[in-house]
Amino acid sequence: SQTIHQWPATLVQPVGSPLSLECTVEGTSNPNLYWYRQAAGRGLQLLFYSVGIGQISSEVPQNLSASRPQDRQFILSSKKLLLSDSGFYLCAWKGDPAQETQYFGPGTRLLVL
Amino acid sequence: SQKIEQNSEALNIQEGKTATLTCNYTNYSPAYLQWYRQDPGRGPVFLLLIRENEKEKRKERLKVTFDTTLKQSLFHITASQPADSATYLCALDRTGGSYIPTFGRGTSLIVHP
């Protein structure tokens, strides 16, 4: 069966520091991968998605970036964090672009101080 | 632009009653609609999907209806239990057929014993 992992689970970072969040999927190949952010009391905001290695689509211009160095690995990065980057970051996957349902990871809680 | 509305106020009900959550949308003609459950500090979990040509879908104690004329979906949990307490998110496919869902902000359900 497929599983999705995210780490770290919780992160407290100072403003201006770099960020690297990792997401990996097991039990499937060539998944479609997604990064979402969920701010307190807000909905899920799609940040990036990837349909294959090295292929990244950005939804919202911001100081974040994403990379997909391996088939089942998706990384969210920032060179300099802002206070507004605080939130709950969720990685999700699905097996086929036409598949409707997404499967979410456990999330990373990021607090920027 | 597309807009999804879910009641931001928490729904409080007594154990054993039927909980009914509402998802309304505008400027949209989705091919399908999904409902997810999200527990605090966790990623959303898929519950049910209903397509535009379906009026109703059931799964155990869950029932979803989809009225494309009213642009509304209702999500029912019968014989509710305290363990059903969570936030429930409605998601619709984005226009253009990208198969990437757009999520509502969710409604919190609290079932009292």
Side-chain angles (χ1 to χ4, degrees), chain B residues 56-97:
Chain B
E56 182 179 298
K57 184 74 72 76
R58 291 175 184 262
K59 178 183 177 182
E60 298 174 350
R61 294 186 295 111
L62 309 180
K63 185 178 82 171
V64 173
T65 63
F66 195 8
D67 189 325
T68 55
T69 301
L70 292 179
K71 294 187 181 294
Q72 181 182 77
S73 173
L74 299 178
F75 177 77
H76 305 272
I77 306 176
T78 58
S80 59
Q81 305 165 0
D84 296 324
S85 299
T87 296
Y88 291 86
L89 306 175
C90 157
L92 290 81
D93 67 313
R94 301 200 302 184
T95 56

Side-chain angles (χ1 to χ4, degrees), chain A residues 34 36 38 41-44 46 49 59 88 90 94 96-107 109, chain B residues 32 34 36 38-46 49 51 87 89 94 98-106:
Chain A
Y34 307 83
Y36 288 88
Q38 188 175 37
R42 306 285 296 275
L44 287 168
L46 180 65
Y49 67 94
E59 287 291 302
F88 191 45
L90 288 157
K94 57 179 179 178
D96 183 278
Q99 178 184 338
E100 299 95 348
T101 300
Q102 291 182 317
Y103 299 93
F104 287 84
R109 177 77 59 190
Chain B
Y32 60 85
Q34 303 180 71
Y36 288 75
Q38 186 174 23
D39 291 286
R42 309 288 291 274
V45 175
F46 169 75
L49 179 149
R51 301 186 186 282
T87 296
L89 306 175
R94 301 200 302 184
S98 66
Y99 300 105
I100 301 175
T102 298
F103 288 83
R105 294 186 177 188

Side-chain angles (χ1 to χ4, degrees), chain A residues 46-108:
Chain A
L46 180 65
L47 302 175
F48 302 94
Y49 67 94
S50 172
V51 298
I53 296 175
Q55 301 178 62
I56 308 295
S57 296
S58 175
E59 287 291 302
V60 182
Q62 56 211 329
N63 67 318
L64 299 173
S65 63
S67 62
R68 186 169 175 175
Q70 300 181 43
D71 181 44
R72 290 169 287 178
Q73 184 184 34
F74 204 22
I75 297 173
L76 183 69
S77 304
S78 175
K79 292 182 179 178
K80 286 187 177 181
L81 283 169
L82 306 172
L83 286 174
S84 58
D85 291 324
S86 294
F88 191 45
Y89 287 82
L90 288 157
C91 181
W93 75 274
K94 57 179 179 178
D96 183 278
Q99 178 184 338
E100 299 95 348
T101 300
Q102 291 182 317
Y103 299 93
F104 287 84
T108 294

